């Protein structure tokens, strides 16, 4: 079972959100793919497959920092966070969606 429950939405550091520790023990990454889903020439979406599941990180505004992050577990559960950077530079995540595929 994937430990997405281990994600504390309040303390996701934006700089590290692209490589979350999904199982708490250091999931090994099998593949990383980048996509330009909206076709503007900027590859804003990073998809990583690990032994814990698949994560999708999207940098919507192209500033190099992930804005939206979704984790899909092997059990079919998914959760999406929106990442904010506060004035003091600290990233913060807020869960905006979750469910089962
Ligand atoms: Ca794009
Ligand atoms: Ca961004």
């Amino acid at each position: 079972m994937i430990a997405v429950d281990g994600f504390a939405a309040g303390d996701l550091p934006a700089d590290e959100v692209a490589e979350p520790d999904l199982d708490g023990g250091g999931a090994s990454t099998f593949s990383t793919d980048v996509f330009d889903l909206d076709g503007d020439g900027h590859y804003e979406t990073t998809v990583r497959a690990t032994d814990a599941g698949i994560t999708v990180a999207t940098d919507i505004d192209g500033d190099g920092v992930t804005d939206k992050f979704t984790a899909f577990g092997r059990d079919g559960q998914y959760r999406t966070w929106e990442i904010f950077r506060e004035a003091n530079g600290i990233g913060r995540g807020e869960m905006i969606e979750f469910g089962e595929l």
Side-chain angles (χ1 to χ4, degrees):
M1 154 116 192
I2 185 169
V4 285
D5 286 325
F7 263 99
D11 57 19
L12 267 178
D15 289 334
E16 290 161 29
V17 74
E19 298 188 59
D21 191 1
L22 284 177
D23 64 4
S28 52
T29 302
F30 293 136
S31 70
T32 302
D33 292 301
V34 291
F35 298 96
D36 175 18
L37 292 184
D38 53 13
D40 64 356
H42 172 64
Y43 289 80
E44 77 291 324
T45 301
T46 305
V47 177
R48 281 189 174 80
T50 74
D51 55 9
I54 293 173
T55 64
V56 180
T58 306
D59 176 16
I60 294 167
D61 54 12
D63 65 354
V65 179
T66 298
D67 303 298
K68 201 171 159 190
F69 178 79
T70 304
F72 297 91
R74 295 244 182 259
D75 57 1
Q77 304 268 345
Y78 72 93
R79 290 176 191 204
T80 300
W81 290 267
E82 220 167 67
I83 313 298
F84 305 93
R85 185 171 286 273
E86 295 178 337
N88 58 11
I90 293 175
R92 190 166 67 79
E94 186 175 307
M95 197 186 298
I96 55 171
E97 212 181 319
F98 62 94
E100 215 164 325
L101 296 179

